[in-house]
Amino acid sequence: MAAPEAAEPREARALALLRELGAGDLDHPGGTLLAHLERVHARLGAWGARPALRLAGLCHACYGTDGFATALLPLARRGELAAVIGAEAEEIVYFYACCDRAASYPTLAADDPAVDDPAADGPVGAGAADDEAVSSVTPAFRDRFTGRIHSPGRQSRRDFAELSAANELDLAAIDPAFRAAHGPGLRALFTRLRGLLSEPARRDCRAVLGVGPS
């Protein structure tokens, strides 16, 4: 029972830090960056994510991302963020921020059961769990800050996929222009990553992106 209780003061401290760093003053689809971060945090909570992943969702833009260049904190201050949200959550934030998306997305789920079945209904195909065909390609993740290429463990990739879905679905749900421009690409991405996503995340992908059985 202690862990859920301990997360609450961390969330309060994280919100205080985000306000201090100006997240409430930065424009972002749907209002401000802070409002977006709070919605991502809430979406992960609705999916049943553990406290560390929810905290990472709240702070996922602290170092900027490959899709959002503005950084609230320089990497030299990683220890400061870790002191507020915990080492596990900070590691997820860094992993999310450092992803070179163009280099990493194609093989992120390479060791999962094949998801190329055209009959599959978007981010969760009916037969995905029973598909035993597994790619021989090793996941290759490129750190855009250091240039390092490595093969991260499955839990790190699951956290990354879940946070990516929460982030992108918030934008798609709040901004019709974003959904129109990026919806097809997001459907393709989350179809490819569906083996890394939780069932609630897959359902939300279908609901927000308009994917599902005909």
Side-chain angles (χ1 to χ4, degrees), residues 28-114:
H28 199 273
T32 66
L33 176 61
L34 181 60
H36 165 66
L37 297 174
E38 291 183 289
R39 291 193 305 268
V40 170
H41 173 266
R43 190 173 230 104
L44 287 165
W47 293 349
R50 70 191 189 282
L53 184 53
R54 296 199 306 269
L55 283 164
L58 184 60
C59 297
H60 73 267
C62 278
Y63 308 136
T65 72
D66 201 13
F68 185 75
T70 302
L72 301 177
L73 276 174
L75 293 177
R77 294 172 63 183
R78 286 185 64 184
E80 184 176 330
L81 183 60
V84 172
I85 65 174
E88 181 186 4
E90 192 280 332
E91 287 287 346
I92 298 170
V93 172
Y94 178 84
F95 190 86
Y96 186 78
C98 80
C99 179
D100 178 333
R101 296 178 181 182
S104 304
Y105 277 180
T107 64
L108 202 61
D111 60 350
D112 282 333

Side-chain angles (χ1 to χ4, degrees), residues 138-213:
T138 300
F141 184 93
R142 184 180 185 276
D143 185 322
R144 68 189 182 95
F145 298 133
T146 68
R148 177 185 175 228
I149 298 174
H150 66 290
S151 182
R154 183 173 177 80
Q155 186 60 57
S156 292
R157 290 180 288 122
R158 287 179 62 88
D159 289 343
F160 180 88
E162 199 84 348
L163 178 48
S164 295
N167 175 60
E168 302 292 359
L169 292 182
D170 175 68
L171 296 175
I174 206 92
D175 186 347
F178 177 92
R179 186 169 62 251
H182 301 288
L186 292 176
R187 285 194 293 270
L189 173 64
F190 295 129
T191 294
R192 191 161 64 247
L193 299 185
R194 69 185 174 203
L196 298 174
L197 292 172
S198 67
E199 177 57 30
R202 294 196 294 265
R203 286 198 302 266
D204 220 358
C205 284
R206 291 197 298 270
V208 174
L209 299 175
V211 180

Side-chain angles (χ1 to χ4, degrees), residues 5-21:
E5 294 171 2
E8 292 183 9
R10 281 186 170 173
E11 289 169 1
R13 292 197 300 270
L15 283 168
L17 177 61
L18 290 168
R19 292 189 182 101
E20 177 186 332
L21 295 172

